[in-house]
Amino acid sequence: MSGAPSFSSFPELPELSKSSSSNHHRQDGREPRHTPVHREERGSRYAERITKRSHSEERRKAREEKEKRRKRERREAEKLALDGTPGHSRTEEDHRVVRDRHDGKWSGDDQGVAWYEAGGKGKSRELYHEAEVSGEPFFSDIIGDRDALRYGQSSSYHPPRYHRDGHGRVLGCNEGLRIVRSQHRTEKGLELAPRGRPYIPRYSARVLDGSSRNARRLLLQPTNHDPFDPDISFVSFGIKAKRADRDEQPDYRSINKEEEEEDDDTAVIEETLIGFSSLEQEVQSRTAELDRHLRAHPDDIKAWIAYSKLHMRLSSESASKPGTDPSTLPQTRASAEVTLSVLSKALNHPPNFTSVTLHLAYIRAAEAFWPPEKVTGRWRNVLRELGERSRGDPALEAGMMDIWRGYIEWREGQGFGKQDEGRKGAGGVDEVLEVYSDCLRRLGEFEGDLSIREENQLYLFVRACLFMRQAGFVERAFACFQSLMEITLFKPDRLRPPSQPSPAWFRDLLAEYEVFWDSETARIGEHGAKGWKNSSTETTETPESGASQEAVEHQSSDPFERWSEAESFAESRGFLPGRATDLYAADDEDPYRVVLFHDIEPFLFPIRSGRVRLELVYTFLSFIGLPFRPPDVSTGAASNLDPHLHWSLTYNNQLRACFWPPKLRQKSLPWQTVGGEPMEPESQRAMSTPFASPVKSWLSTADTFFGGSDRWFRDATAIDLAHVDLTFARNVFKLLQPLVPDPSFTAMYMAFEASVSPKSSVKLAKTILSVDRDNAAIWDGYARLEYQRGNLAAARGVYSTVLQSDKIDNDERLGLYAAWARMEWDAGEEGRALEVLVLASGAGNTKLLDLSREVSKPTAISLLKAKQHYSSVPLPCSYAQLVLASLYAYLTAGIDAARDILTRHLALLRPAGPEAEEVFQLLCRMIYVHTSRNASPAALSRDTLELAIATFPNNTQFLSFYMFGELGARVHGRLQRLVSQLLASETSGISGQLWSVWAEAMSAHRTFWDKGGNGAERVRQALDKSINSRWGKRSAPMWILYIEFDSLMGCHAAAKQLCYRAVAALGGCKALYLLPFGSSLRPHFTPQELRDWADLMIERGLRLRVPFEEFFDVNETEAAIVLPEDEELYDDELGFLRDREELKPY
């Protein structure tokens, strides 16, 4: 077998001499044409030739150095191949091993070129057939490919120049399967295919799960002979000789074609792949099965839905994302038409027409290619038909809420600004608010469970107020919330609802409230507000609206930027409804400053359920902008998944800035010298503590209300309240605190004051305790405030004082003991914590409450009694008992004993309930404190956190702890897998996606700000996946983060395109329309484009406080393009420009 020729085997070409290179005669014998050249131009050309000559000289030297290096490596490799010593000299006998290129042996004249770098392909397969019968079928290549170690695989552009012996067979595998190279874009490497057939993505790119009916056929049948027989001295590949014997060759004079026997390899393949169906065959079989089933049972709704999605499994998107619901992936028009055809047959069956699921699936498939006007008309028809049939049908009434929510999503998204067929108007903000009012009115007419109906009404009410706020109608949104709070919590006693309230009662209530509203008396949250029933319309003075009369200070000279600055300043100076008595000249041109009663009347409804009334209070706190969540509400609840309810990040610029890592003050070095040895420079960790996440999604408890920045997670900090009017929020807390019986509300009040002023929070706690001295929850909050300020001794005094009182019951006493013991343990005072635990079990002496004495270890008898007490606590138990028992087990037996108690308690709880989430948070805190003080294996926290994340994927406490541990190990594989799962999951919610963006940015902090660094690219991929997901595309903060990220990275063209996509997805968010007028994107928008944006805001009905005419002319057009005299615009070019202008800004 002859070896492949190398570059060094070719004769070197003689270099051109100067005389030959300077010969100006052309080969055709003609004289060259001489043109006059100026002296300056001739000098520049001479400089270019000198530069090119120097570059070519450098390249030539580099090639020579490379050839020398290859020769040297080749010689060393040959020496190592002979005896393993670099100094061994090759003998003549060793040279015989090297075949000559012409007689099938190696040649020693390789000039140091590696065998896989040799040029020329030649007849490689024939040469390798000869190698099968030679005496040396294998040889070792010890030079290797350095790029494979560097990049993890060999380069596809420079593959090794060799072919596999055996034509793709695999040792130990069935002979019918051969190696082929994958051609799918998302796959890399090699694959097995029957007999080397061409690669087909639909057969090999899908994932076969364990439940597949073909899983048993993945075990290939073995060959007849044993390739690893110990009695033979060789490994048989079963390769038949390619040359047939002369006797077996057919006679060329024979005219009758003999029957060819079946190939053994083909028989083996067919026998192996019996019953192994392709994806197309599976879809066809399932289609036939569903078709037969639906003919017999046409009322099976689930079967119709599955039938309509079945053809989507063959799409390329479904193949690249196995395990994802095909209906959630992008569809082509042809696919959507097939879906509509199937669902139309289902709806034509009379019993199926009232199915909400079928109507929703039909309209969502139609949204892919129907005109927006037609889709809106379809929504209205479905609401009208099902609304008429839902009267007296409780099941259909419950499903109508899903229809209304789907219609609202459409009108706020793709259908915003698109009116239905046969109706006039632009379909902007006013049309969406009309939809909300109609939905609230229809829900009020439904019969059924009172609390469920009022919960649905409250949800739609909050969505309507948030839509008003984002569209710029902030005063109207606050007026609606103030009015609902007043008529629900502060209505006069004479207007309380009867046992069986009627619509006439609520109409009378609104008539009475209209008088109160028109009197412009102070309402909830305003200065001097006392509530409707405590106010008098005759004597109460009208408060000021709080609007500032200061003038804006412009930072730019550009008229568009100056308008944006004036608009933002006008929107931030006042958010409460104005009054006719305090308006000044600047408000004369703003008709929306004063809110009339008929503007808010369509959104008001009665609330009689006590649970819904409490939800209204916490919802109002969230609408103000406070980051508190209702107690006992898990992170897996629907309210925590809804992207529309996570709006505060849109207006909090400081909190959005926390998503990006800080810039390095000094330039990072590629290496540093330590002790004379170069090594990788020391780098700081991406996270100093796990408590810095800007996405706060967890179960709110007393621990998070009063957490410290360096000890535990905290609900509210100064940055979280940067966009909140503190005076308004304080007035709300002050007015509602005596009325709300929930202790968590009082704890939120004190936590809010602590985030604003820690000193004033202590005064507030003392003021509340002066009125309610027997409230154990307030005493606990007071002690936690002292500990939060760093005053541990004062906190001990609070607990010691209240525990000596006889006016608290046993459960409250256990809660105080548990809080005190955990505070001591968290502060590192394990001895005193053990004393408190012994005292809580009843085995200690009350003298332990004397804080003046020194800490002493409890006696052995006391410890034994305490152990017996905590061991006898039945599971499940109260949270206070669980804390005491687990903490005692930790201090006496270690972390494993404490984790065992908590794990057994978790097994008895509802898996995804708030009680289980609270226990997981307790377990994670114990593990974190233990690992921060003691050397522990990483698996101790990793196993617990992975279980917690699998149960509660939206809890950012668990996610941050997991990230903190993985970044400390400097191995980010598990973290990257977690982020990918959160971005691909449909159940993670918007909180998980926002956290994933922050996690990618923090983990790539070293290369995030580097030009061309891969850190920023990972963040971009996370953002791109988020805005294309179910939750992210409806989140205004996610769009703003993506646009700001591209602006920071200098990708202004991409940021500009994102602005257009954002307003198409969320057409009612005013903050998205103001981004092109900002300082970062303004240079990349032409004046005409910004005028088009201004026209679009006016057309869609967004609230604008400052007229455009004060800064620029909206009707001004750009100057026409002046063409040269010899160029003219033809009709088709004029038509193209007209179409382009009509399609702007899209």
Side-chain angles (χ1 to χ4, degrees):
M1 184 179 83
S2 60
S6 62
F7 288 108
S8 58
S9 61
F10 291 100
E12 297 184 359
L13 297 176
E15 297 184 359
L16 296 176
S17 61
K18 295 183 179 180
S19 59
S20 61
S21 62
S22 60
N23 188 5
H24 298 288
H25 291 280
R26 299 177 55 169
Q27 296 180 0
D28 54 4
R30 291 178 296 175
E31 291 294 327
R33 181 181 300 175
H34 295 278
T35 57
V37 181
H38 295 286
R39 179 175 302 175
E40 294 80 0
E41 184 177 357
R42 186 165 56 250
S44 61
R45 291 181 180 179
Y46 177 76
E48 291 178 0
R49 288 197 298 269
I50 295 298
T51 304
K52 292 181 180 179
R53 187 177 302 171
S54 61
H55 289 173
S56 61
E57 185 69 19
E58 294 177 357
R59 289 194 295 268
R60 186 183 62 81
K61 292 182 180 180
R63 287 195 299 268
E64 292 178 355
E65 292 293 333
K66 187 175 182 180
E67 292 295 332
K68 292 180 181 179
R69 177 175 55 80
R70 287 180 173 177
K71 292 179 182 179
R72 182 171 62 255
E73 291 177 352
R74 185 64 182 179
R75 288 194 298 268
E76 294 178 357
E78 292 174 354
K79 294 176 184 178
L80 290 174
L82 290 175
D83 59 351
T85 57
H88 180 75
S89 59
R90 169 171 287 194
T91 61
E92 186 65 26
E93 183 179 357
D94 298 332
H95 278 283
R96 299 194 193 102
V97 181
V98 184
R99 302 181 178 183
D100 186 68
R101 186 165 55 129
H102 300 287
D103 57 0
K105 299 182 180 181
W106 287 102
S107 174
D109 190 17
D110 284 340
Q111 300 297 327
V113 181
W115 60 274
Y116 55 79
E117 295 179 355
K121 297 184 179 180
K123 299 179 180 181
S124 56
R125 295 191 179 274
E126 295 182 2
L127 298 178
Y128 278 85
H129 294 329
E130 296 179 5
E132 297 174 3
V133 297
S134 65
E136 189 181 9
F138 301 103
F139 65 94
S140 299
D141 174 32
I142 58 176
I143 296 180
D145 187 1
R146 289 183 296 272
D147 291 341
L149 297 177
R150 181 178 181 185
Y151 300 106
Q153 62 180 3
S154 59
S155 174
S156 59
Y157 296 98
H158 304 286
R161 299 184 181 278
Y162 66 89
H163 296 278
R164 296 182 181 87
D165 286 343
H167 300 280
R169 289 181 174 87
V170 178
L171 183 65
C173 190
N174 189 276
E175 297 181 0
L177 301 179
R178 304 298 173 86
I179 295 176
V180 296
R181 181 168 292 277
S182 171
Q183 300 296 328
H184 197 267
R185 293 183 178 180
T186 61
E187 301 291 340
K188 292 183 179 181
L190 305 178
E191 293 182 356
L192 294 179
R195 193 67 173 175
R197 295 176 183 174
Y199 175 84
I200 303 177
R202 61 174 178 269
Y203 283 94
S204 56
R206 63 192 180 98
V207 178
L208 296 176
D209 55 357
S211 61
S212 175
R213 61 186 180 89
N214 297 318
R216 59 183 179 86
R217 305 194 181 276
L218 295 179
L219 299 177
L220 302 179
Q221 298 178 359
T223 56
N224 296 328
H225 64 277
D226 186 6
F228 301 101
D229 190 354
D231 297 333
I232 60 178
S233 58
F234 63 93
V235 178
S236 175
F237 288 91
I239 304 176
K240 298 181 180 180
K242 297 300 178 181
R243 295 182 180 180
D245 296 338
R246 185 175 298 275
D247 296 339
E248 297 179 357
Q249 294 180 358
D251 190 356
Y252 69 94
R253 290 173 294 182
S254 176
I255 61 176
N256 297 325
K257 184 177 181 181
E258 299 179 358
E259 278 188 29
E260 296 182 358
E261 297 182 358
E262 186 178 5
D263 191 1
D264 294 339
D265 293 342
T266 306
V268 171
I269 294 173
E270 294 178 354
E271 184 180 359
T272 301
L273 301 179
I274 290 178
F276 192 86
S277 59
S278 64
L279 181 59
E280 289 182 349
Q281 294 173 346
E282 288 184 4
V283 171
Q284 292 175 0
S285 175
R286 180 61 176 164
T287 301
E289 180 182 349
L290 287 175
D291 186 67
R292 291 192 300 268
H293 174 77
L294 290 174
R295 290 179 185 274
H297 305 86
D299 55 347
D300 191 347
I301 304 301
K302 294 183 179 180
W304 280 111
I305 297 297
Y307 194 25
S308 65
K309 298 179 182 178
L310 197 56
H311 66 281
M312 303 179 190
R313 295 180 57 189
L314 298 176
S315 62
S316 58
E317 291 83 2
S318 180
S320 61
K321 297 181 180 180
T324 306
D325 186 4
S327 61
T328 61
L329 299 174
Q331 298 186 50
T332 60
R333 176 166 183 157
S335 177
E337 287 179 348
V338 174
T339 303
L340 287 183
S341 176
V342 174
L343 295 177
S344 297
K345 295 180 181 179
L347 289 172
N348 290 334
H349 188 62
N352 296 343
F353 186 78
T354 58
S355 173
V356 174
T357 305
L358 286 177
H359 281 288
L360 289 176
Y362 184 90
I363 299 178
R364 285 168 181 166
E367 291 175 358
F369 67 97
W370 276 11
E373 296 79 7
K374 187 177 180 180
V375 176
T376 304
R378 177 74 182 191
W379 276 111
R380 288 184 175 274
N381 294 335
V382 171
L383 286 171
R384 183 179 61 256
E385 294 291 337
L386 295 185
E388 294 176 355
R389 302 191 183 193
S390 64
R391 302 182 186 278
D393 188 352
L396 186 56
E397 283 186 354
M400 285 299 297
M401 181 63 185
D402 296 332
I403 295 289
W404 280 106
R405 291 183 62 177
Y407 182 44
I408 291 172
E409 293 289 348
W410 164 256
R411 293 308 301 265
E412 290 187 0
Q414 298 179 5
F416 185 78
K418 307 293 191 304
Q419 186 57 270
D420 60 340
E421 297 176 342
R423 291 173 62 95
K424 297 181 180 180
V429 175
D430 294 336
E431 293 292 334
V432 177
L433 294 179
E434 182 182 351
V435 172
Y436 275 113
S437 62
D438 292 344
C439 183
L440 287 171
R441 178 179 53 82
R442 294 297 303 273
L443 285 178
E445 300 173 355
F446 289 168
E447 299 178 357
D449 189 275
L450 176 64
S451 60
I452 295 178
R453 185 187 68 190
E454 291 180 350
E455 280 184 354
N456 291 333
Q457 286 180 305
L458 179 59
Y459 171 77
L460 291 176
F461 172 79
V462 175
R463 286 283 304 273
C465 293
L466 290 176
F467 179 78
M468 295 179 200
R469 183 170 192 164
Q470 291 185 349
F473 300 92
V474 185
E475 296 90 347
R476 188 178 181 184
F478 269 90
C480 290
F481 246 115
Q482 286 178 316
S483 299
L484 188 60
M485 292 287 291
E486 292 284 356
I487 65 175
T488 303
L489 302 177
F490 298 99
K491 57 178 169 289
D493 296 337
R494 58 185 175 83
L495 296 176
R496 290 185 177 277
S499 58
Q500 296 294 331
S502 61
W505 162 79
F506 188 66
R507 287 195 297 268
D508 296 339
L509 176 65
L510 292 182
E512 292 282 346
Y513 181 73
E514 183 177 4
V515 178
F516 171 77
W517 182 266
D518 293 340
S519 66
E520 297 187 342
T521 307
R523 303 134 190 171
I524 181 173
E526 300 175 354
H527 179 70
K530 300 177 182 179
W532 178 18
K533 65 180 180 180
N534 300 322
S535 302
S536 175
T537 58
E538 298 178 357
T539 58
T540 304
E541 297 181 359
T542 302
E544 297 181 358
S545 61
S548 175
Q549 302 184 19
E550 299 178 0
V552 60
E553 296 181 1
H554 294 286
Q555 304 294 331
S556 174
S557 59
D558 183 80
F560 298 98
E561 293 186 31
R562 290 169 66 88
W563 173 85
S564 177
E565 294 170 354
E567 180 69 21
S568 301
F569 178 78
E571 188 170 355
S572 63
R573 68 179 182 175
F575 58 94
L576 293 177
R579 288 166 170 80
T581 56
D582 63 349
L583 293 180
Y584 50 92
D587 291 328
D588 292 343
E589 299 180 0
D590 190 358
Y592 303 103
R593 185 78 174 87
V594 178
V595 180
L596 304 179
F597 181 75
H598 70 82
D599 295 331
I600 60 179
E601 182 180 8
F603 302 97
L604 301 180
F605 59 95
I607 299 178
R608 292 178 290 159
S609 174
R611 181 166 57 88
V612 181
R613 287 157 66 97
L614 186 59
E615 290 180 4
L616 173 63
V617 173
Y618 288 115
T619 303
F620 187 40
L621 297 182
S622 177
F623 180 77
I624 295 173
L626 300 179
F628 300 114
R629 287 179 174 82
D632 300 331
V633 176
S634 173
T635 55
S639 59
N640 289 327
L641 302 179
D642 196 338
H644 299 282
L645 302 182
H646 293 72
W647 59 271
S648 58
L649 197 61
T650 305
Y651 305 98
N652 197 334
N653 300 331
Q654 298 182 22
L655 192 60
R656 287 202 311 271
C658 296
F659 275 79
W660 319 124
K663 290 186 178 181
L664 300 177
R665 297 182 178 179
Q666 55 184 1
K667 188 177 181 181
S668 59
L669 301 176
W671 54 272
Q672 67 179 7
T673 304
V674 178
E677 296 293 335
M679 60 181 59
E680 182 182 0
E682 182 181 2
S683 59
Q684 297 180 354
R685 291 188 56 170
M687 299 172 60
S688 57
T689 62
F691 314 126
S693 172
V695 185
K696 299 185 177 182
S697 175
W698 49 67
L699 186 69
S700 295
T701 60
D703 296 336
T704 58
F705 290 153
F706 306 102
S709 58
D710 57 341
R711 290 190 301 268
W712 193 242
F713 297 93
R714 189 174 178 180
D715 284 330
T717 60
I719 296 180
D720 297 319
L721 305 178
H723 65 293
V724 179
D725 188 278
L726 302 180
T727 303
F728 184 86
R730 187 178 288 109
N731 293 336
V732 171
F733 274 120
K734 185 177 180 180
L735 184 62
L736 295 179
Q737 192 272 326
L739 298 178
V740 181
D742 191 359
S744 298
F745 183 82
T746 306
M748 291 180 185
Y749 187 11
M750 293 188 291
F752 166 74
E753 288 291 343
S755 61
V756 177
S757 174
K759 188 175 181 180
S760 62
S761 64
V762 176
K763 294 181 180 179
L764 173 64
K766 293 179 180 180
T767 303
I768 298 176
L769 284 173
S770 63
V771 180
D772 189 6
R773 297 191 59 84
D774 298 333
N775 195 328
I778 301 177
W779 282 104
D780 181 38
Y782 179 31
R784 292 175 182 268
L785 285 175
E786 292 288 359
Y787 179 61
Q788 187 183 51
R789 297 176 61 196
N791 197 348
L792 181 59
R796 289 173 182 164
V798 173
Y799 282 121
S800 177
T801 302
V802 67
L803 286 172
Q804 296 179 23
S805 174
D806 298 333
K807 297 182 180 181
I808 57 176
D809 56 22
N810 187 39
D811 293 338
E812 294 176 342
R813 189 178 300 274
L814 287 178
L816 292 173
Y817 274 124
W820 187 7
R822 196 162 58 171
M823 182 192 70
E824 298 288 355
W825 169 70
D826 186 66
E829 300 290 340
E830 296 186 356
R832 191 176 293 276
L834 189 59
E835 283 187 353
V836 175
L837 292 171
V838 172
L839 184 61
S841 66
N845 193 343
T846 56
K847 293 182 179 180
L848 296 175
L849 295 176
D850 185 9
L851 303 178
S852 61
R853 63 177 186 81
E854 296 182 357
V855 180
S856 61
K857 184 179 180 181
T859 62
I861 300 298
S862 300
L863 292 175
L864 180 60
K865 291 181 179 180
K867 182 179 180 181
Q868 293 176 349
H869 171 77
Y870 291 122
S871 300
S872 62
V873 174
L875 297 178
C877 57
S878 65
Y879 183 73
Q881 290 178 323
L882 183 65
V883 172
L884 293 171
S886 60
L887 190 55
Y888 181 83
Y890 173 80
L891 294 177
T892 57
I895 185 63
D896 293 332
R899 186 173 61 170
D900 180 66
I901 294 176
L902 296 175
T903 304
R904 287 190 288 111
H905 183 80
L906 279 169
L908 303 175
L909 299 177
R910 187 163 58 95
E915 297 84 4
E917 189 169 12
E918 188 176 15
V919 176
F920 265 122
Q921 291 183 178
L922 172 62
L923 178 57
C924 291
R925 181 166 190 174
M926 294 188 70
I927 292 177
Y928 170 73
V929 175
H930 174 77
T931 54
S932 62
R933 298 174 182 175
N934 306 278
S936 305
L940 176 65
S941 60
R942 183 186 300 130
D943 297 341
T944 303
L945 289 172
E946 287 179 351
L947 178 60
I949 292 173
T951 310
F952 303 98
N954 294 314
N955 192 307
T956 54
Q957 281 191 11
F958 307 149
L959 297 173
S960 299
F961 274 138
Y962 191 84
M963 176 183 174
F964 182 74
E966 295 302 319
L967 290 182
R970 296 179 182 269
V971 178
H972 302 172
R974 294 186 181 91
L975 178 61
Q976 297 299 325
R977 183 166 59 251
L978 173 63
V979 171
S980 300
Q981 293 174 356
L982 291 176
L983 295 175
S985 175
E986 293 292 333
T987 60
S988 62
I990 190 61
S991 300
Q993 293 181 349
L994 288 172
W995 182 89
S996 300
V997 174
W998 172 77
E1000 287 284 19
M1002 291 298 109
S1003 61
H1005 70 288
R1006 296 183 60 186
T1007 59
F1008 181 83
W1009 298 104
D1010 294 347
K1011 187 176 182 181
N1014 60 349
E1017 186 60 29
R1018 284 161 43 191
V1019 178
R1020 179 176 286 105
Q1021 292 178 1
L1023 288 166
D1024 189 71
K1025 291 180 180 178
S1026 298
I1027 64 171
N1028 289 292
S1029 65
R1030 173 188 176 187
W1031 307 110
K1033 65 181 179 182
R1034 303 171 186 169
S1035 174
M1038 187 68 73
W1039 286 102
I1040 295 177
L1041 282 174
Y1042 200 175
I1043 294 172
E1044 290 180 347
F1045 168 77
D1046 275 340
S1047 299
L1048 289 175
M1049 296 295 106
C1051 303
H1052 298 96
K1056 182 177 179 179
Q1057 295 299 324
L1058 285 173
C1059 290
Y1060 290 107
R1061 293 177 57 189
V1063 297
L1066 295 173
C1069 184
K1070 179 182 174 182
L1072 297 175
Y1073 290 87
L1074 296 180
L1075 292 176
F1077 296 89
S1079 58
S1080 59
L1081 292 178
R1082 167 62 189 93
H1084 307 280
F1085 282 83
T1086 63
Q1088 185 58 41
E1089 289 175 337
L1090 294 179
R1091 293 187 184 95
D1092 294 338
W1093 278 83
D1095 293 339
L1096 186 62
M1097 285 189 282
I1098 297 176
E1099 178 184 349
R1100 293 189 167 184
L1102 299 178
R1103 164 80 177 285
L1104 298 177
R1105 302 170 184 264
V1106 180
F1108 296 113
E1109 291 76 9
E1110 296 183 5
F1111 295 91
F1112 58 88
D1113 187 5
V1114 183
N1115 299 322
E1116 182 182 356
T1117 58
E1118 295 180 352
I1121 302 176
V1122 180
L1123 297 176
E1125 296 180 357
D1126 56 345
E1127 295 186 13
E1128 295 182 359
L1129 281 175
Y1130 296 97
D1131 294 338
D1132 55 346
E1133 295 176 332
L1134 290 172
F1136 170 76
L1137 293 179
R1138 283 194 299 268
D1139 294 342
R1140 181 176 180 273
E1141 291 297 327
E1142 292 177 358
L1143 292 176
K1144 282 184 177 181
Y1146 299 105

